Amino acid sequence: MKLRRVFWGALIVFGLLVVVWAALVAREFATSALPANTDKFAVTATQIERGEYLARIGNCAGCHTARGGEPYAGGRAVDTPFGAVYAGNLTPDRATGIGDWSSDAFYRALHEGRSRDGRMLYPAFPYPNFTQVTREDSDAIYAYLMNRVAPVHRVNTAHALTFPYDSSLALAMWRLLYFKPASLQVDTSQSAAWQRGAYLVQGLAHCGACHSTRNALGAPLAGHAYDGAMMPLNDWYAPSLTARDEASVADWPLQDIARWLQSGTSPQGAAFGPMAEIVFQSTQYLSNDDALAMATYLKALPVTRGVAFKPSPQTVSSGHTAAADRGSALYKEHCASCHGKDGEGKAGAYPALAGNRTVLMANTTNLYRVVLSGGFAPATAGNPQPHGMPPFYHLLGDDDLTALLNYVRSAWGNNAPAITTLDLIHYRDALRSTQH
């Protein structure tokens, strides 16, 4: 009898939980459409200019402009592990863009992740970050889009997500588990610069969208903000902003951090890959005050692991094996003219390889990518003629590249673990499949 009562009690509790959960899911579907734009939104030239600045800091055009397409007309695919999400048309076209959206609808999209018709938006649009954007800044961006961006008639591309991630039910459940509209929680014990930096880094600049570790459903892991993550399907690693052996700037001077954000270069290194794109399209336009504010916040992030690497110039490549000798010869032939005989680099042109964190990181993804595919630092006002890294994909075979990289990872005081030819083959094959 007692066991039966326990069973029925547990069944009732479970039933109540199911009812509550169903009610919460139903509420996600119950949000109604907002009225169409009535053209009564008063704007000023100052507000429009500020909106243009904020749209650049949020890198809105980066996702909402297809390669070769009209600015903000959408159509660019955002690849995810669950399929492709296509960015929408943000131009003021009434039929296919946001011309019929009011400022209330635009703010709701940023703050709540909902379209004007109440439809839930996929978090590839980073509303989990944009939810912190203030109404004042939202209105400024809206004013810019409605008044300075040319309307383009372009029907939005349908998303190409796999089942069950393409269902509204799955999206509603994700939102219940991982998203709640919020504003930035101001820490009044911090300086005004830190607070401004926190607002930009956490919100509009959405740095954590790439640099935060995520779970199997694509949601940031609690307690792992800025801990680093692989970027889905593009073979780049967004390094940890809290680890000294990856991308922490805790020991950088503030001015160097700000310079790196605005120009893509600093005495400590240069931006490549997706970060070079972010600098080119977005952070190079930061005002000096905002660049210093972001630098203040990033410098203050707690250090989670690792120690700052200090190369020892007296220590030369360890050992004289055949592979080490081959790596040394390849370095002299292909690399020393730019990066220096002792990996010292050339200030303002080519980064040093001695103590270079991309060279030394345990995650070798970015090292392989740069060596095989090459690349450029971004062209910015502070670095108008960046020097490039040539690709070695077709020039050197796997054995030679392995010997070369192991030499670089062990010479001039570098002490990173050796890589294997098999590691390189796996990465080359993955890169080949994404390029063809």
Side-chain angles (χ1 to χ4, degrees):
M1 184 65 70
K2 184 177 180 180
L3 184 60
R4 183 180 297 178
R5 285 198 299 269
V6 171
F7 171 78
W8 283 107
L11 188 62
I12 291 171
V13 170
F14 177 75
L16 289 173
L17 289 175
V18 170
V19 170
V20 170
W21 183 257
L24 290 173
V25 170
R27 190 177 64 179
E28 289 292 315
F29 288 92
T31 302
S32 60
L34 292 176
N37 182 21
T38 58
D39 292 323
K40 294 181 180 179
F41 184 76
V43 300
T44 65
T46 300
Q47 186 182 36
I48 293 173
E49 290 174 5
R50 176 166 176 76
E52 181 177 15
Y53 170 77
L54 294 170
R56 279 176 164 169
I57 304 313
N59 196 26
C60 304
C63 286
H64 289 274
T65 303
R67 190 176 298 276
E70 296 294 327
Y72 294 100
R76 180 169 180 174
V78 179
D79 291 320
T80 78
F82 319 107
V85 176
Y86 288 87
N89 185 343
L90 291 187
T91 74
D93 180 72
R94 286 189 174 274
T96 63
I98 62 169
D100 265 349
W101 287 42
S102 65
S103 59
D104 289 339
F106 187 78
Y107 177 66
R108 185 171 75 170
L110 296 181
H111 189 61
E112 299 181 25
R114 291 185 181 276
S115 186
R116 185 179 77 84
D117 59 7
R119 174 173 46 89
M120 296 172 288
L121 299 174
Y122 282 96
F125 170 60
Y127 59 83
N129 300 92
F130 290 165
T131 187
Q132 300 186 24
V133 173
T134 65
R135 179 60 190 260
E136 179 184 12
D137 283 353
S138 172
D139 285 352
I141 297 171
Y142 173 81
Y144 162 67
L145 294 173
M146 297 295 284
N147 291 277
R148 289 280 177 84
V149 174
V152 177
H153 187 85
R154 187 193 178 286
V155 177
N156 289 324
T157 305
H159 303 318
L161 295 165
T162 57
F163 181 82
Y165 308 108
D166 59 345
S167 72
S168 296
L169 178 60
L171 179 55
M173 296 177 70
W174 188 95
R175 287 168 59 94
L176 282 174
L177 288 170
Y178 303 117
F179 174 69
K180 183 178 181 181
S183 299
L184 178 68
Q185 299 300 309
V186 177
D187 185 347
T188 55
S189 68
Q190 299 287 351
S191 67
W194 184 96
Q195 293 179 46
R196 174 65 177 171
Y199 172 71
L200 292 171
V201 170
Q202 295 181 27
L204 196 59
H206 58 287
C207 303
C210 290
H211 288 277
S212 292
T213 307
R214 296 176 179 271
N215 64 19
L217 294 178
L221 286 174
H224 292 273
Y226 312 116
D227 276 1
M230 286 298 302
M231 299 180 69
L233 309 183
N234 76 352
D235 294 307
W236 285 96
Y237 173 64
S240 168
L241 301 180
T242 62
R244 288 190 189 274
D245 53 355
E246 293 198 7
S248 169
V249 292
D251 57 351
W252 289 26
L254 274 178
Q255 291 292 345
D256 285 357
I257 306 171
R259 173 183 169 184
W260 193 88
L261 290 169
Q262 291 177 303
S263 71
T265 63
S266 74
Q268 293 80 3
F272 277 84
M275 193 62 216
E277 184 177 341
I278 295 296
V279 173
F280 176 74
Q281 295 181 150
S282 178
T283 61
Q284 71 162 310
Y285 299 103
L286 283 165
S287 68
N288 291 335
D289 285 345
D290 278 351
L292 283 172
M294 288 182 67
T296 300
Y297 178 77
L298 292 170
K299 184 177 175 66
L301 288 175
V303 177
T304 56
R305 70 176 191 273
V307 295
F309 183 82
K310 302 296 183 183
S312 172
Q314 292 76 25
T315 306
V316 188
S317 179
S318 59
H320 292 285
T321 64
D325 290 342
R326 179 61 179 153
S328 176
L330 288 166
Y331 180 83
K332 291 175 183 176
E333 179 181 356
H334 297 287
C335 313
S337 61
C338 292
H339 294 287
K341 179 174 68 72
D342 295 316
E344 72 276 13
K346 294 182 181 178
Y350 305 108
L353 300 183
N356 186 301
R357 290 188 289 187
T358 299
V359 170
L360 297 168
M361 269 196 295
N363 188 319
T364 54
T365 297
N366 296 348
L367 176 62
Y368 291 151
R369 182 71 187 242
V370 170
V371 171
L372 287 171
S373 302
F376 280 84
T380 60
N383 187 33
Q385 294 180 314
H387 295 269
M389 169 76 178
F392 287 86
Y393 186 94
H394 301 290
L395 185 61
L396 295 178
D398 296 321
D399 290 337
D400 280 347
L401 278 175
T402 301
L404 173 60
L405 291 178
N406 279 332
Y407 172 77
V408 171
R409 281 165 66 86
S410 63
W412 323 299
N414 289 350
N415 57 3
I419 64 169
T420 68
T421 302
L422 186 60
D423 294 334
L424 191 60
I425 291 173
H426 284 164
Y427 187 83
R428 191 193 286 268
D429 288 345
L431 190 61
R432 184 183 295 118
S433 68
T434 61
Q435 291 180 338
H436 301 287

